[in-house]
């Protein structure tokens, strides 16, 4: 009889813990209709949970962007601004390696001008010294200095010089983000992690906004 469809058990967890809700029917009787409803309900909650997760991630990135903006607001020289940015990214994004290069359009080169405080030890294994020059035509960064953000999910698969150096140092995912002012690229931020495919779309979008 249809009365055997009820009662059914609803499993709720605390909203404050931001856990998923789920619903299941109790055994007994023909409860296909109820199963269909509960499956739809659980699917809806899954979508809501994913949306909430994305929103929280966006809010977190906005907060981080605000913190960096405040921290750099009182600084006048680029070197100290760069260092604050890199140190904050190392700690809060987080990243395993970060450096900033300035772009010389005439010479078509990038010069490493700043390293994150935690990146210095790794930097020695990358094979480029601070104030060292990175030729653009040899490392596939020509698109980046033209204004495009480049994400290499696995540097071990990239057959160009600089990503290969990162891979040799155990940095298997990297983002190359152009630094721009008034739509003109003047430098490049390099952010890398040890784990391959570890940067998400929100991570890349955040780095793009930060560099702009």
């Amino acid at each position: 009889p249809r009365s055997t469809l009820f009662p059914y058990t609803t499993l709720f967890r605390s909203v404050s813990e931001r856990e998923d809700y789920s619903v299941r029917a109790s055994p007994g009787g023909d409860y296909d209709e109820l199963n269909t409803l509960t499956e739809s309900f659980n699917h809806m909650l899954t979508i809501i949970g994913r949306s909430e997760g994305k929103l929280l991630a966006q809010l977190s990135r906005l907060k981080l962007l605000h913190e960096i903006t405040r921290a750099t607001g009182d600084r006048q020289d680029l070197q100290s601004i760069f260092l604050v940015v890199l140190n904050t990214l190392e700690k809060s994004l987080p990243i395993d390696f970060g450096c900033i290069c300035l772009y010389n359009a005439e010479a078509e080169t990038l010069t490493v001008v700043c390293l994150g405080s935690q990146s210095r030890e790794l930097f020695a294994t990358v094979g480029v010294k601070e104030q060292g020059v990175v030729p653009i035509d040899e490392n596939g960064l020509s698109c980046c200095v033209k204004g495009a953000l480049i994400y290499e999910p696995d540097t071990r698969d990239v057959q160009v010089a600089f990503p290969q150096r990162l891979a040799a140092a155990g940095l298997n995912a990297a983002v190359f983000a152009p630094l721009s002012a008034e739509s003109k690229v003047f430098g490049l931020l390099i952010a890398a992690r040890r784990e391959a495919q570890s940067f998400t779309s929100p991570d890349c979008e955040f780095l793009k906004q930060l560099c702009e």
Side-chain angles (χ1 to χ4, degrees):
R2 296 187 62 83
S3 60
T4 61
L5 296 178
F6 300 95
Y8 56 86
T9 303
T10 307
L11 303 178
F12 290 111
R13 294 184 181 135
S14 170
V15 174
S16 63
E17 296 176 357
R18 299 189 181 278
E19 299 283 356
D20 290 337
Y21 297 112
S22 63
V23 176
R24 62 181 175 83
S26 62
D30 179 11
Y31 47 86
D32 289 345
E33 182 179 352
L34 179 58
N35 280 341
T36 300
L37 290 172
T38 55
E39 286 175 5
S40 298
F41 180 66
N42 289 334
H43 179 65
M44 178 187 69
L45 289 174
T46 299
I47 294 173
I48 292 173
R50 289 174 181 171
S51 299
E52 182 185 36
K54 290 180 181 178
L55 178 59
L56 290 174
Q58 289 175 346
L59 291 174
S60 176
R61 295 292 179 261
L62 285 173
K63 180 182 178 183
L64 180 56
L65 187 61
H66 178 62
E67 289 175 357
I68 293 174
T69 302
R70 286 200 326 177
T72 60
D74 296 331
R75 291 168 171 78
Q76 301 299 318
D77 64 295
L78 276 177
Q79 191 69 20
S80 64
I81 290 174
F82 290 162
L83 189 58
V84 167
V85 170
L86 291 172
N87 288 347
T88 305
L89 291 177
E90 287 178 336
K91 178 181 177 181
S92 301
L93 191 55
I95 58 174
D96 297 310
F97 173 84
C99 75
I100 288 177
C101 307
L102 290 184
Y103 174 50
N104 185 322
E106 292 183 1
E108 285 292 308
T109 57
L110 292 163
T111 302
V112 180
V113 296
C114 191
L115 291 166
S117 298
Q118 298 176 21
S119 300
R120 291 186 174 276
E121 184 176 346
L122 268 175
F123 189 71
T125 65
V126 173
V128 179
K129 297 180 180 179
E130 193 166 5
Q131 299 302 320
V133 174
V134 180
I136 295 170
D137 58 347
E138 294 182 4
N139 58 29
L141 296 177
S142 56
C143 290
C144 193
V145 296
K146 292 177 182 177
L149 181 141
I150 298 174
Y151 171 37
E152 298 294 356
D154 195 333
T155 55
R156 295 168 296 186
D157 296 335
V158 183
Q159 301 303 313
V160 286
F162 194 71
Q164 286 183 338
R165 292 181 184 181
L166 295 176
L171 297 164
N172 296 319
V175 175
F176 305 93
L179 293 163
S180 60
E182 298 179 354
S183 301
K184 183 178 180 179
V185 175
F186 68 90
L188 178 70
L189 183 147
I190 300 172
R193 288 173 174 161
R194 290 184 173 88
E195 184 180 352
Q197 302 184 35
S198 53
F199 286 93
T200 64
S201 294
D203 288 339
C204 293
E205 182 62 29
F206 167 78
L207 289 171
K208 179 181 178 182
Q209 292 175 350
L210 174 64
C211 289
E212 289 173 348

